[in-house]
Amino acid sequence: MDDPVLLTGAGGRVGQAILRHTGADFEWRLLDREPLPDRKLPEGVDDTDVCTADITDGDAVREAMTGCRAVIHLAGDPRPEAPWDSVLRNNIDGTQTMFAAAVETGVEKFAFASSNHAVGAYETDTRKPELYRPDDEFRLDGAELPRPSNLYGVSKAAGESIGRYYHDHHGVSVVNVRIGNLTEGHPPIDYERGQAMWLSYPDCAHLFKRCLLAEYDYEIVYGISDNDRRYYSIDRAKDVLGYAPQDNSAEWDGDERTA
Amino acid sequence: MDDPVLLTGAGGRVGQAILRHTGADFEWRLLDREPLPDRKLPEGVDDTDVCTADITDGDAVREAMTGCRAVIHLAGDPRPEAPWDSVLRNNIDGTQTMFAAAVETGVEKFAFASSNHAVGAYETDTRKPELYRPDDEFRLDGAELPRPSNLYGVSKAAGESIGRYYHDHHGVSVVNVRIGNLTEGHPPIDYERGQAMWLSYPDCAHLFKRCLLAEYDYEIVYGISDNDRRYYSIDRAKDVLGYAPQDNSAEWDGDERTA
């Protein structure tokens, strides 16, 4: 794969997980709203591959995307409690700007960082806390309608619909990754929900690597490790993308690995 | 029902269909971006019940909504080919403004004018034109994920997700009506698709009347008449809302009624 991959939100947690664990596997263009310090760049990436811009700036986005075959779009306001005006601009309008630029510049694959918050309201009072436990059989598989936890989740569901439109009408391959709870090193401690939707850094990087290498049309997959506790199915990610997670929150006792 | 119903987009086609055929059944507050001429007002509604305002103006919307028990929200850019900036502002941001005001003012029921364009891309080349014909068994029932025809459809799907959030977190009863092809008098002529999704004016008014009278949590229903050609199920509208359509595009030959 010679053509570069554009990674937006490269300085954020998901972007850094990807770059740290699969940074050497691709040629990158990195985009972030804030200047990226050298420590956030993978080896071989220098200033000429880095663009400091806002994703709602169509001209800047098009310039950064030109020549890229694929996009991993992570940029946006990442706060579950973000106010409407911010998610409207950064997450909804920003994502539409990204897709429009992708069509104009001939991008073939577009991986979108959706979120567990697009479906958080399936965790109803009657299902909690049982659905966070290994013997509970409730599963979400990506075919269900959104049930956002918050306005941030509304914005992620909107991003998924935007991608659906650009896939159906412009032929872009689109995968939406509903990212769980990404933490470095070990799963969240004393937090059943976080353990159920844990995504380790290596599994995160591997999953997005598969998004760049696999063939697909339009997909919604859950981005979690192979957790015993899960209530998100990872079957679709395995079947379509070839996702093969290495981690499982059950193998940890607090911050100690037990398996 | 003594408390008034707020109807936004009252001067548009859907609003006028409602007011003409069920205008006498409710107390109304009417909101439109343009001043409403007297001919567009039902009997008994005078200027004191009319608000000329943009739905993105939160203060104006709250004032118009205060004291209302229910809302029928039709306002927005109705053009399938509307540009992104307009649907972002008028349809997505405007609908969020409406829901936020509904929570603040204690509205209990909220009927949202969604659209067939939220799912138009299910009409794939391999399904067309057979799905427009009476013997074809393909059906959409409202449980399917959005597949927008255009950015207008993206905005309507976003409105549905916004409603889901406000239902789950704030307890508002929400019904999304994916309106088909509303035409006055007779169904579209020589247009199979339009006949499949025809919604007559009386059926439109009756359906929204049922949205004001029935009890429900969160629903997505299709707004079409009882057409033989349909590929939208109306079972959910019948079961949950008590929708009983009187019209069927099959009973027309051109603009002549045959049954």
Side-chain angles (χ1 to χ4, degrees):
Chain A
M1 183 173 322
D2 297 314
D3 292 341
V5 174
L6 176 64
L7 178 70
T8 73
R13 285 195 311 126
V14 179
Q16 288 297 297
I18 292 170
L19 291 176
R20 258 183 254 169
H21 292 272
T22 191
D25 299 334
F26 302 95
E27 298 291 318
W28 298 99
R29 295 255 185 90
L30 306 182
L31 185 147
D32 204 284
R33 196 161 65 169
E34 305 293 329
L36 292 173
D38 285 345
R39 65 181 164 79
K40 291 199 166 189
L41 305 182
E43 213 165 316
V45 171
D46 62 31
D47 284 355
T48 62
D49 303 312
V50 175
C51 171
T52 304
D54 192 293
I55 53 161
T56 61
D57 178 347
D59 290 339
V61 163
R62 267 187 299 277
E63 189 179 329
M65 214 179 275
T66 299
C68 290
R69 187 191 59 88
V71 169
I72 296 176
H73 174 43
L74 311 173
D77 191 326
R79 298 171 296 163
E81 72 284 4
W84 173 250
D85 285 351
S86 177
V87 297
L88 180 70
R89 173 180 162 82
N90 294 301
N91 299 12
I92 300 179
D93 190 25
T95 297
Q96 201 285 139
T97 302
M98 286 290 300
F99 271 109
V103 168
E104 287 177 54
T105 61
V107 163
E108 294 168 17
K109 280 185 191 166
F110 194 112
F112 172 60
S114 185
S115 167
N116 66 83
H117 289 281
V119 290
Y122 281 101
E123 299 169 37
T124 58
D125 288 343
T126 55
R127 289 186 181 128
K128 289 190 288 191
E130 286 73 17
L131 86 164
Y132 306 136
R133 294 176 180 167
D135 53 353
D136 190 82
E137 294 187 358
F138 180 78
R139 288 284 183 282
L140 299 177
D141 66 7
E144 60 281 331
L145 284 165
R147 284 189 70 172
S149 319
N150 39 49
L151 293 170
Y152 166 78
V154 166
S155 77
K156 290 298 180 180
E160 294 178 1
S161 287
I162 292 167
R164 181 82 239 193
Y165 166 72
Y166 280 95
H167 169 68
D168 281 329
H169 293 267
H170 297 283
V172 186
S173 294
V174 176
V175 59
N176 303 282
V177 181
R178 290 180 176 165
I179 297 172
N181 193 333
L182 180 71
T183 62
E184 191 166 11
H186 59 79
I189 298 173
D190 293 335
Y191 179 38
E192 286 188 290
R193 179 176 185 270
Q195 290 163 6
M197 60 169 73
W198 185 46
L199 179 62
S200 73
Y201 270 43
D203 284 344
C204 177
H206 163 68
L207 176 54
F208 278 98
K209 178 176 177 174
R210 295 308 313 161
C211 292
L212 296 175
L213 298 177
E215 296 295 323
Y216 46 86
D217 293 317
Y218 177 85
E219 294 292 335
I220 296 174
V221 300
Y222 284 97
I224 61 171
S225 289
D226 191 22
N227 308 316
D228 288 354
R229 284 183 181 276
R230 68 173 169 274
Y231 58 95
Y232 295 152
S233 171
I234 53 175
D235 290 352
R236 195 77 194 159
K238 288 178 174 178
D239 293 349
V240 173
L241 304 176
Y243 177 50
Q246 69 174 53
D247 289 310
N248 177 347
S249 58
E251 294 174 353
W252 294 77
D253 181 12
D255 59 357
E256 292 287 310
R257 186 157 208 149
T258 58
Chain B
M1 185 173 323
D2 297 314
D3 292 341
V5 175
L6 176 65
L7 179 69
T8 73
R13 286 195 312 126
V14 180
Q16 287 297 297
I18 292 170
L19 291 175
R20 258 183 253 170
H21 291 272
T22 191
D25 299 334
F26 303 94
E27 298 291 320
W28 297 100
R29 297 256 185 89
L30 306 181
L31 186 146
D32 204 284
R33 196 161 64 170
E34 304 293 330
L36 291 172
D38 285 345
R39 66 182 164 77
K40 290 200 167 187
L41 304 182
E43 215 166 315
V45 170
D46 62 31
D47 284 355
T48 62
D49 303 313
V50 175
C51 172
T52 303
D54 192 294
I55 54 161
T56 60
D57 177 347
D59 290 338
V61 163
R62 267 188 300 276
E63 189 180 328
M65 215 179 274
T66 299
C68 292
R69 188 191 58 88
V71 169
I72 297 177
H73 175 43
L74 312 174
D77 191 326
R79 297 171 297 163
E81 70 285 3
W84 173 249
D85 285 352
S86 177
V87 298
L88 180 71
R89 173 180 163 82
N90 294 301
N91 300 12
I92 300 178
D93 190 25
T95 297
Q96 200 286 138
T97 302
M98 287 289 300
F99 270 109
V103 168
E104 285 177 56
T105 61
V107 163
E108 294 168 16
K109 280 185 191 167
F110 195 112
F112 172 61
S114 185
S115 167
N116 66 82
H117 289 282
V119 289
Y122 281 100
E123 300 169 38
T124 56
D125 288 343
T126 56
R127 290 186 181 128
K128 290 190 289 189
E130 286 73 18
L131 87 163
Y132 306 137
R133 295 176 180 167
D135 53 353
D136 190 83
E137 295 186 358
F138 181 78
R139 288 285 182 283
L140 299 178
D141 66 8
E144 59 280 333
L145 284 165
R147 285 189 70 171
S149 320
N150 38 50
L151 294 170
Y152 166 79
V154 167
S155 77
K156 291 298 180 181
E160 294 178 1
S161 287
I162 291 168
R164 181 82 238 191
Y165 165 73
Y166 279 95
H167 169 69
D168 282 328
H169 293 266
H170 298 284
V172 187
S173 292
V174 176
V175 58
N176 304 281
V177 181
R178 290 181 177 165
I179 297 172
N181 193 333
L182 180 71
T183 62
E184 192 166 9
H186 59 78
I189 298 173
D190 291 336
Y191 178 38
E192 286 188 290
R193 180 176 184 270
Q195 291 163 6
M197 60 169 72
W198 185 46
L199 179 62
S200 73
Y201 270 43
D203 284 345
C204 176
H206 162 68
L207 177 54
F208 279 98
K209 179 176 178 173
R210 294 307 313 161
C211 291
L212 296 174
L213 297 178
E215 297 295 324
Y216 46 85
D217 292 317
Y218 177 85
E219 294 293 335
I220 297 173
V221 300
Y222 283 97
I224 60 170
S225 289
D226 191 22
N227 308 317
D228 289 353
R229 285 183 181 275
R230 68 174 168 274
Y231 58 95
Y232 295 151
S233 170
I234 54 175
D235 290 351
R236 195 79 192 158
K238 288 178 174 178
D239 293 348
V240 174
L241 303 176
Y243 177 50
Q246 67 175 52
D247 289 310
N248 178 347
S249 58
E251 294 173 353
W252 294 78
D253 181 12
D255 58 358
E256 293 286 312
R257 185 157 207 148
T258 59

